[in-house]
Amino acid sequence: LFHARLREANAGAAATGQGVLPLRADVVEVKTVDLYGWDGQAWTHVPSQIDANARQAVAAEGTLPRALVLVRTAAPEQPVISADLQPDAELPADVSPLLAESSVGPLVLGANGALAGEAGAAAPENTVRFLRITNRGAIVDQASLSALLENPAVQDAQISSVVGQAKAEGYAGVNLDYQGVPAAMSTAFTEFAAKLAGALHADDLKLAITLGTPAPVGNGWDTGGQDWAALGRLADVVHVQMPLDPTAYGDGGTADQLVSWAVGQLDRRKVNLLLTAGAVNKVGEVFTGLPAEQALANLGQPELSSGAAEVDPGAPVEVALNGTATPLEWDGQALAYKYTFEQNGQPQTVWFVTEAALVDRLQLARDYNLRGATLDGLTLGSGAAYAAALNSYLGSGDAPQPGAAAIAWTVRDATDSIVASGTGSELNYAWTATETPGDYRVQAGLVLGDTTVDL
């Protein structure tokens, strides 16, 4: 799109400063435009930002390559779908064949650089497997990470251990998922990642790095102690944790703005968007992923709300879920169903991410010609619907439409035959008992599309 050769500052010395290249007049869509530089041997990605309003690309300040060129990127021939698998993970059977990669584990960082845990998840045989190491448990363990970054000897011991395990157990590499890096330790973290990359590459293994969701600051983003540009150069694969806020994915929203900035920092051919397909909880302005059992627990279990456990034939029986949640409602901005509840006097909101919402988020990876997408939380929806969403992203099927969400009530007799049923958004149910004496069981289930989860 545009090419500029830079004059060397003096014989044998590279130029320093900030390269600015104008966009050609016929360049309208800039989502797929990158800045590349020639280092004397190859063209490589140069961290920059494309300013569509000023019609220019601005390289990050520093040492400049011998030449700069603006290029229009192409979509990957086959996007890479990956999954983060927990030890007890059970992937839907329809999804497994569509995965190309998986991160298993995790091994969790503790005191003195020790990594605890077992990579117990049975990753699909068709996937390229990475061993994930992290400091994320019930909390992000910043203290253990800081101690690790302050002690080169402990770093060397950890690197030797994890590279040895990855090689011995047949992994393709290691996924470095250390979060909450203090800003003051950014250089130390980059140096640790460089040592890990060198050790892995020496054994023909790969380094994947998981980058946490940055906070928007003015016209940029605060990445804390993770230097995205430097880490991106070291890594073979980069997983970018996308916002958990289900309402952030509209056109031009926070998620779109983040990806637009990220492809300026990172070589998009390495980037997978890390997306949650599970439940999300909001407390105040903080969003967290929510295990399926917790999301369901807030709805409660069915219990009698009037009458006794023994009633006369033909008498009314009223049951209700005993949780604190409000009835389910559709959130059109999030493309998800939600409910609210209170805990310790504090209001909270829970969304169930639908397959249609997943399609919407995967579109970001397609719009920016990214390497692919990484998923976690594939537990609540239908395996067939998840597979339809992923096949749509891969270009081999139609996108699934939003499925209904409701509470399904069934009444069964002693032979397990259904004698009454009802479905709706309300969390209670009234049944006029049959005239036939006997034992009856009232059940409630959460319906999400084609899946019903027993409550």
Side-chain angles (χ1 to χ4, degrees):
L1 301 178
F2 191 92
H3 177 267
R5 184 172 299 278
L6 304 178
R7 178 178 60 84
E8 292 184 351
N10 50 62
T16 60
Q18 191 173 48
V20 179
L21 271 69
L23 290 173
R24 211 168 61 188
D26 61 343
V27 178
V28 177
E29 178 54 71
V30 300
K31 286 184 177 180
T32 59
V33 174
D34 276 339
L35 186 63
Y36 272 67
W38 178 256
D39 63 6
Q41 296 181 327
W43 290 99
T44 59
H45 178 270
V46 174
S48 64
Q49 288 302 304
I50 308 294
D51 188 335
N53 294 324
R55 306 292 301 165
Q56 62 186 17
V58 181
E61 189 156 355
T63 302
L64 292 169
R66 296 185 182 182
L68 290 169
V69 62
L70 278 171
V71 300
R72 194 190 310 278
T73 62
E77 291 185 11
Q78 180 73 10
V80 176
I81 299 176
S82 177
D84 273 356
L85 303 179
Q86 299 298 323
D88 56 351
E90 292 185 15
L91 275 175
D94 296 307
V95 171
S96 294
L98 301 176
L99 297 180
E101 287 179 357
S102 59
S103 287
V104 301
L107 303 182
V108 181
L109 177 66
N112 300 317
L115 293 168
E118 295 182 5
E125 293 182 358
N126 56 293
T127 64
V128 174
R129 300 181 308 143
F130 284 79
L131 178 62
R132 185 161 71 96
I133 61 175
T134 187
N135 63 335
R136 291 195 282 183
I139 61 170
V140 174
D141 188 350
Q142 289 181 298
S144 293
L145 177 58
S146 295
L148 172 71
L149 297 179
E150 291 172 346
N151 194 323
V154 173
Q155 294 176 33
D156 293 342
Q158 182 183 109
I159 290 172
S160 176
S161 173
V162 74
V163 172
Q165 181 175 348
K167 186 175 182 180
E169 297 180 5
Y171 292 98
V174 172
N175 180 358
L176 178 62
D177 182 14
Y178 284 167
Q179 304 302 321
V181 183
M185 306 191 81
S186 176
T187 300
F189 183 66
T190 300
E191 291 172 350
F192 169 74
K195 287 197 292 185
L196 177 58
L200 288 166
H201 293 158
D203 277 324
D204 294 324
L205 301 175
K206 294 181 179 180
L207 173 65
I209 292 181
T210 297
L211 298 176
T213 310
V217 178
N219 294 324
W221 298 81
D222 180 5
T223 63
Q226 291 182 328
D227 183 338
W228 280 36
L231 295 171
R233 286 190 290 269
L234 296 171
D236 302 291
V237 180
V238 180
H239 303 281
V240 174
Q241 175 67 66
M242 294 299 291
L244 290 176
D245 179 0
T247 66
Y249 290 84
D251 289 341
T254 304
D256 195 350
Q257 295 170 35
L258 172 56
V259 178
S260 176
W261 177 82
V263 294
Q265 304 298 306
L266 306 163
D267 184 341
R268 69 182 75 214
R269 296 173 299 176
K270 299 180 178 182
V271 175
N272 271 38
L273 299 185
L274 179 51
L275 302 166
T276 182
V280 174
N281 187 46
K282 179 186 180 184
V283 184
E285 295 303 316
V286 177
F287 295 85
T288 57
L290 196 64
E293 58 272 17
Q294 286 184 244
L296 299 174
N298 295 326
L299 295 169
Q301 297 181 346
E303 64 178 19
L304 286 167
S305 55
S306 68
E310 185 173 292
V311 299
D312 292 331
V317 176
E318 294 184 5
V319 294
L321 295 176
N322 61 7
T324 60
T326 60
L328 298 168
E329 60 178 306
W330 174 252
D331 185 335
Q333 185 177 1
L335 297 180
Y337 285 91
K338 68 179 181 181
Y339 65 80
T340 60
F341 72 105
E342 281 195 9
Q343 189 170 49
N344 299 324
Q346 187 168 29
Q348 302 187 35
T349 304
V350 173
W351 287 264
F352 294 107
V353 178
T354 66
E355 295 85 359
L358 185 58
V359 169
D360 190 55
R361 298 175 186 193
L362 289 168
Q363 185 63 40
L364 271 176
R366 177 183 290 174
D367 288 346
Y368 284 89
N369 291 343
L370 303 184
R371 177 180 185 269
T374 303
L375 309 175
D376 68 5
L378 292 168
T379 55
L380 279 171
S382 158
Y386 282 139
L390 295 176
N391 275 316
S392 171
Y393 168 55
L394 294 172
S396 57
D398 295 328
Q401 298 302 307
I407 304 298
W409 299 91
T410 57
V411 183
R412 298 175 182 269
D413 63 16
T415 66
D416 208 35
S417 297
I418 296 177
V419 297
S421 64
T423 302
S425 61
E426 298 301 320
L427 307 182
N428 54 59
Y429 175 67
W431 171 54
T432 300
T434 177
E435 295 292 340
T436 305
D439 293 328
Y440 296 84
R441 184 172 73 256
V442 183
Q443 292 176 290
L446 173 64
V447 178
L448 291 171
D450 297 330
T451 300
T452 300
V453 184
D454 184 22
L455 297 174

